[in-house]
Amino acid sequence: MNGIRRLVLQNVRPRTLCAHYSARAAPQRPKQTRLSAQSNLGPSAMSAHQVFAPLTKGCPVFKISQPITVLREPQQFYKQLIHGIKHAQRHICLSSLYIGSEETELVAELKNALARNTKLQVRVLLDCLRGTRTDSAGMSSAALLAPLVQQFGEERVQVFMYHTPALSGLSKQAWPQRYNETFGLQHIKAYIFDDDVIISGANLSRDYFTNRQDRYMRISDPQFSDYFVRLVSTIGQFSFRVLNGDQATGYKLEMADGVADPTRDPREFVREANELMVQFLHRAEIEHAVEAGSISEHDTLAIPTVQMRQLGITQDESHMR
């Protein structure tokens, strides 16, 4: 599975040790940092600062100055999404497993926002296998979004579909839609509106907006937001692009020129995608490095880790050791 597997939020106060977040499930704490929240951290005990300082190595670190908002209900999550779309001035970036084929209201809000503000840019990253799966009416996430690309152009609307390299050739033709997802998925759930980022485990579909409870946190920070926008853009470089075209499906998929097709040449695809991701992560680590000695006991840190094992990217595993 590919995605932001863990976001470590560290508020380094004597009794507030660490809050872990995962887009799929809450990971176990590393053994070396297993301290009880009820522990009495006296002068002789190891401080939270000392415990979590090693997590700042090898990953970008963001000092968050604004309060982090925890959303409580699916309906609140949906309202925040709509609010973000309506008020974004520069960019909207949505990364999810899929967008429900029934979410015409959400797409209509995107269309209205693009029409109101000619400077607004929209990027959407979905999983290709799930994003092209059709419902009983033949509709899919790709078909739902393709008209936005046609109306506003790729200069303003980019829809990316990441395709796993583990499913190619005859295997891709043999496995039915509902089962081919077992080979690997794009699983990042991050929704960015200018400087605001909503990190969640929820997809963009009706059940997640009404009665399917998940986790949602809103973080306001321009550098943190920019990291996710650039992450999505980097993955987009080795993903299929959704274009308006085929009359039967309502869209067509194209890879960028010079990028290997994961369904035809998975080995070359993995090599190229790994190179792009390593460059991005290395640059992010350098740009957002934090010296351990510069962390105060009152800082809140956000440390995103990326797990894309099929591409040789295993930051989450490294942090869990």
Side-chain angles (χ1 to χ4, degrees):
M1 299 291 182
N2 302 324
I4 296 291
R5 296 289 296 276
R6 179 172 55 161
L7 176 70
V8 179
L9 295 175
Q10 179 186 348
N11 195 332
V12 193
R13 294 188 177 97
R15 286 184 177 271
T16 306
L17 302 183
C18 187
H20 292 277
Y21 173 80
S22 167
R24 297 182 62 230
Q28 295 179 349
R29 291 187 177 123
K31 291 181 179 180
Q32 65 269 27
T33 62
R34 180 169 290 178
L35 297 178
S36 169
Q38 287 76 37
S39 298
N40 183 14
L41 297 180
S44 61
M46 180 177 280
S47 70
H49 179 148
Q50 293 172 306
V51 171
F52 293 108
L55 294 179
T56 65
K57 301 183 183 299
C59 286
V61 181
F62 301 88
K63 289 186 178 182
I64 308 299
S65 59
Q66 298 297 319
I68 295 173
T69 303
V70 177
L71 308 180
R72 303 293 180 181
E73 298 177 347
Q75 295 85 352
Q76 188 181 11
F77 170 54
Y78 184 67
K79 288 180 180 179
Q80 286 294 317
L81 290 175
I82 298 301
H83 180 273
I85 292 172
K86 287 183 175 180
H87 291 85
Q89 297 298 310
R90 303 188 309 277
H91 57 246
I92 296 170
C93 186
L94 308 176
S95 178
S96 184
L97 178 63
Y98 66 98
I99 295 180
S101 56
E102 74 284 355
E103 292 308 320
T104 55
E105 180 184 6
L106 186 72
V107 175
E109 291 291 352
L110 289 171
K111 178 180 177 180
N112 293 337
L114 285 160
R116 284 194 305 268
N117 182 358
T118 58
K119 296 182 180 180
L120 183 66
Q121 292 189 322
V122 173
R123 296 179 182 88
V124 181
L125 172 64
L126 305 175
D127 179 73
C128 191
L129 298 177
R130 190 62 184 271
T132 56
R133 184 206 284 185
T134 55
D135 61 15
S136 58
M139 182 58 71
S140 65
S141 302
L144 195 65
L145 294 168
L148 293 180
V149 181
Q150 180 187 34
Q151 180 173 351
F152 298 100
E154 279 195 279
E155 297 79 13
R156 297 187 60 203
V157 180
Q158 296 175 313
V159 180
F160 305 122
M161 294 275 177
Y162 173 85
H163 194 295
T164 173
L167 187 64
S168 60
L170 294 177
S171 296
K172 181 173 175 61
Q173 300 176 33
W175 283 84
Q177 283 188 336
R178 191 164 290 274
Y179 301 100
N180 59 16
E181 298 169 17
T182 58
F183 286 85
L185 294 168
Q186 189 295 120
H187 224 276
I188 299 174
K189 314 289 179 56
Y191 309 110
I192 301 99
F193 311 98
D194 291 341
D195 295 340
D196 292 341
V197 183
I198 298 177
I199 301 290
S200 179
N203 292 303
L204 300 176
S205 63
R206 186 53 40 188
D207 54 343
Y208 285 99
F209 298 155
T210 54
N211 54 25
R212 187 164 176 175
Q213 183 67 46
D214 216 294
R215 294 91 62 211
Y216 335 86
M217 291 188 296
R218 189 183 69 207
I219 302 173
S220 296
D221 184 87
Q223 292 187 332
F224 190 61
S225 168
D226 181 66
Y227 168 86
F228 278 94
V229 171
R230 288 196 291 164
L231 172 62
V232 167
S233 297
T234 300
I235 297 174
Q237 292 181 54
F238 51 85
S239 297
F240 285 103
R241 294 173 298 144
V242 174
L243 303 174
N244 199 72
D246 190 278
Q247 291 185 348
T249 61
Y251 65 91
K252 63 180 179 180
L253 300 177
E254 287 187 1
M255 289 294 290
D257 293 338
V259 179
D261 186 328
T263 67
R264 297 178 180 178
D265 192 352
R267 288 189 178 182
E268 178 60 19
F269 171 82
V270 168
R271 187 192 70 78
E272 294 176 0
N274 172 270
E275 183 176 333
L276 287 169
M277 285 301 301
V278 167
Q279 290 175 356
F280 165 76
L281 293 171
H282 180 64
R283 184 168 59 250
E285 179 187 348
I286 293 175
E287 291 178 354
H288 302 289
V290 174
E291 295 294 332
S294 71
I295 304 173
S296 101
E297 293 188 351
H298 302 287
D299 283 335
T300 297
L301 306 180
I303 308 173
T305 61
V306 180
Q307 181 76 11
M308 305 177 81
R309 172 166 275 281
Q310 292 177 345
L311 304 183
I313 306 298
T314 56
Q315 283 189 337
D316 192 59
E317 293 179 34
S318 298
H319 262 59
M320 293 294 290
R321 290 175 186 154

